[in-house]
Amino acid sequence: MDQPSGRSFMQVLCEKYSPENFPYRRGPGMGVHVPATPQGSPMKDRLNLPSVLVLNSCGITCAGDEKEIAAFCAHVSELDLSDNKLEDWHEVSKIVSNVPQLEFLNLSSNPLNLSVLERTCAGSFSGVRKLVLNNSKASWETVHTILQELPDLEELFLCLNDYETVSCPSICCPSLKLLHITDNNLQDWTEIRKLGVMFPSLDTLVLANNHLNAIEEPDDSLARLFPNLRSISLHKAGLQSWEDIDKLNSFPKLEEVRLLGIPLLQPYTTEERRKLVIARLPSVSKLNGSVVTDGEREDSERFFIRYYVDVPQEEVPFRYHELVTKYGKLEPLAEVDLRPQSSAKVEVHFNDQVEEMTIRLDQTVAELKKQLKTLVQLPTSNMLLYYFDHEAPFGPEEMKHSSRALHSFGIRDGDKIFVESKTK
């Protein structure tokens, strides 16, 4: 059912967390807070509030009574206001300024691009450590204002905001450790490098679904731009060159990489993709969410040598020579067909006659007798078969059981089948 428009934060809070809808519960993590309210408050003794408030998709457009917010939300540390109708930063500020313990704030999918965020309003966010602005279409000017007023901001989410460029502020934000900026349209590396300037302490950078076309930066410059980067996601980037993968080695602390869905890797098999990437990134310990073990790394590096062993020298990557120094020049592995043999060429001996013939090994002894009936001129009921392995030290083995499959005897090319008559 659609929520009515023009609802306040306090109105929704009262409805959702009233004792009828959110009764007191005991147990670990289930504690609620029943604050003392101002005298005469219409909500006195009515609300049971947890420290994590989820008020998404409730049609909220404004704050409501600020005194009531302050009375009931003094202990709240996380607030999800995503997918509401908040379009005025002043209303957001009225809410946040009365939640003094707030550390996590989700404002995704609110039309906040319709108003300008002033620094006086942004100051009310100063205690927030994790801020989510996905699909809010927040301008870079708004982001800059937030960064100036949030000295302890550690995680920022700016996905689905239609960014095609990045605008650098006059000052950087040294506190930020994680940036999610997926599903935008940041195709040019000249825009991505600005993120390194803005966030020098960045630990995790998630750039999935941005169609980044190349990493165009000198190796020494990359190390200076992202000196603390430990994890990067380039899922569905537009990378088409192995040189772009090699560039990742320039990030001095990089340990984790996600590279699914990039054009460069599409022609390769699943095994080739993983092994070739692991071999090129010696410092990466996790690829596409899976840990790279020491055994897998060695297998991948040896695979890499064999993969390029017959490639013309001018096309061999530099990493190949490094690995040859480590392992030596390895020959390609012999191809061994482990599939069971489907037929065998055997000698059929009957009386003094010898006939060479090919028999199917998926048939039974009874079916073989039928195949031999015309050759030896005996009815199957009067036929005795013996199998002789030409490499075995034992004598012939009688093939007694009619339903037994021939492959279970281990018959190979060159073996012998002896046929005798029961009435001989």
Side-chain angles (χ1 to χ4, degrees):
M1 179 183 243
D2 292 338
Q3 297 286 356
S5 60
R7 308 177 78 214
S8 73
F9 172 83
M10 270 314 302
Q11 179 185 354
V12 171
L13 194 67
C14 292
E15 292 174 2
K16 179 166 183 177
Y17 293 102
S18 67
E20 293 80 11
N21 296 328
F22 198 86
Y24 180 83
R25 295 176 289 176
R26 298 182 183 276
M30 296 296 188
V32 294
H33 183 76
V34 184
T37 56
Q39 188 172 6
S41 167
M43 291 161 295
K44 182 174 174 58
D45 300 326
R46 279 184 53 204
L47 299 185
N48 295 334
L49 295 187
S51 60
V52 177
L53 297 184
V54 180
L55 299 173
N56 63 306
S57 306
C58 294
I60 298 172
T61 59
C62 58
D65 192 312
E66 291 186 65
K67 291 182 180 179
E68 298 288 5
I69 297 174
F72 286 98
C73 298
H75 66 296
V76 171
S77 60
E78 297 188 17
L79 179 57
D80 183 354
L81 292 174
S82 61
D83 197 26
N84 279 291
K85 299 178 181 179
L86 290 162
E87 58 183 50
D88 189 340
W89 281 105
H90 286 90
E91 294 301 319
V92 177
S93 177
K94 290 177 185 178
I95 298 170
V96 174
S97 63
N98 289 291
V99 188
Q101 302 300 317
L102 192 64
E103 294 188 350
F104 172 87
L105 176 61
N106 187 353
L107 292 171
S108 297
S109 299
N110 280 282
L112 290 165
N113 60 313
L114 300 178
S115 67
V116 175
L117 175 61
E118 299 171 359
R119 289 192 63 176
T120 52
C121 287
S124 61
F125 295 66
S126 60
V128 172
R129 295 178 180 272
K130 301 177 183 180
L131 179 62
V132 187
L133 295 173
N134 296 338
N135 196 35
S136 65
K137 311 305 183 223
S139 67
W140 282 111
E141 182 183 4
T142 294
V143 173
H144 296 167
T145 302
I146 289 171
L147 296 178
Q148 291 176 18
E149 298 300 322
L150 275 66
D152 299 319
L153 187 65
E154 296 177 357
E155 299 183 9
L156 179 61
F157 295 74
L158 296 173
C159 310
L160 295 161
N161 282 334
D162 299 334
Y163 297 137
E164 295 184 359
T165 60
V166 174
S167 172
C168 267
S170 56
I171 59 172
C172 66
C173 178
S175 63
L176 199 76
K177 299 293 191 297
L178 179 148
L179 176 64
H180 275 253
I181 193 165
T182 68
D183 296 279
N184 286 287
N185 195 27
L186 300 171
Q187 301 185 35
D188 198 322
W189 177 257
T190 56
E191 304 305 321
I192 303 302
R193 73 184 311 278
K194 297 174 186 176
L195 300 175
V197 176
M198 292 169 66
F199 309 116
S201 302
L202 205 59
D203 170 277
T204 301
L205 176 58
V206 185
L207 287 168
N209 301 324
N210 270 288
H211 312 294
L212 175 67
N213 51 36
I215 301 176
E216 299 169 327
E217 191 81 34
D219 293 350
D220 57 344
S221 179
L222 277 177
R224 292 194 301 271
L225 278 172
F226 296 94
N228 298 294
L229 193 66
R230 186 194 56 80
S231 174
I232 188 169
S233 172
L234 294 166
H235 177 64
K236 289 193 176 179
L239 303 180
Q240 302 187 50
S241 167
W242 281 112
E243 284 70 24
D244 293 319
I245 307 303
D246 294 336
K247 287 282 186 183
L248 299 177
N249 289 312
S250 300
F251 299 123
K253 294 185 179 180
L254 193 66
E255 298 176 356
E256 181 176 354
V257 175
R258 290 181 181 269
L259 285 169
L260 293 173
I262 65 174
L264 168 67
L265 299 178
Q266 293 309 308
Y268 299 91
T269 66
T270 300
E271 179 189 28
E272 288 171 343
R273 291 172 192 170
R274 185 166 177 86
K275 287 186 173 180
L276 293 176
V277 171
I278 289 173
R280 284 181 180 263
L281 301 176
S283 299
V284 169
S285 57
K286 186 179 284 189
L287 176 64
N288 297 329
S290 298
V291 172
V292 179
T293 64
D294 291 341
E296 184 183 20
R297 175 160 298 286
E298 180 173 342
D299 287 346
S300 299
E301 290 175 346
R302 289 179 177 274
F303 177 89
F304 189 90
I305 294 174
R306 292 188 173 100
Y307 188 87
Y308 285 102
V309 71
D310 293 326
V311 172
Q313 281 297 308
E314 62 272 15
E315 298 178 20
V316 171
F318 179 73
R319 181 63 175 156
Y320 170 83
H321 301 292
E322 292 180 332
L323 293 175
V324 167
T325 301
K326 182 177 180 180
Y327 296 105
K329 192 171 183 179
L330 307 176
E331 295 301 321
L333 293 174
E335 292 188 10
V336 179
D337 189 352
L338 299 177
R339 293 174 297 179
Q341 194 171 341
S342 60
S343 63
K345 184 175 287 188
V346 299
E347 291 181 0
V348 177
H349 293 250
F350 177 66
N351 292 334
D352 296 328
Q353 300 177 24
V354 178
E355 190 80 27
E356 192 175 75
M357 65 184 301
T358 299
I359 60 173
R360 285 183 15 252
L361 299 181
D362 61 348
Q363 64 182 330
T364 63
V365 172
E367 290 169 330
L368 176 61
K369 286 182 177 181
K370 290 180 182 178
Q371 183 180 352
L372 297 174
K373 181 179 177 181
T374 304
L375 176 65
V376 300
Q377 294 296 306
L378 284 174
T380 57
S381 60
N382 197 31
M383 199 182 295
L384 294 175
L385 300 185
Y386 297 88
Y387 162 61
F388 179 71
D389 182 349
H390 69 286
E391 294 183 357
F394 313 108
E397 175 186 356
E398 184 177 355
M399 304 171 79
K400 292 181 180 180
H401 305 290
S402 298
S403 61
R404 183 175 174 181
L406 298 187
H407 64 73
S408 67
F409 290 94
I411 298 174
R412 292 167 294 175
D413 292 340
D415 289 348
K416 300 175 182 179
I417 304 290
F418 291 89
V419 185
E420 293 184 3
S421 172
K422 290 182 180 179
T423 58
K424 184 177 178 180

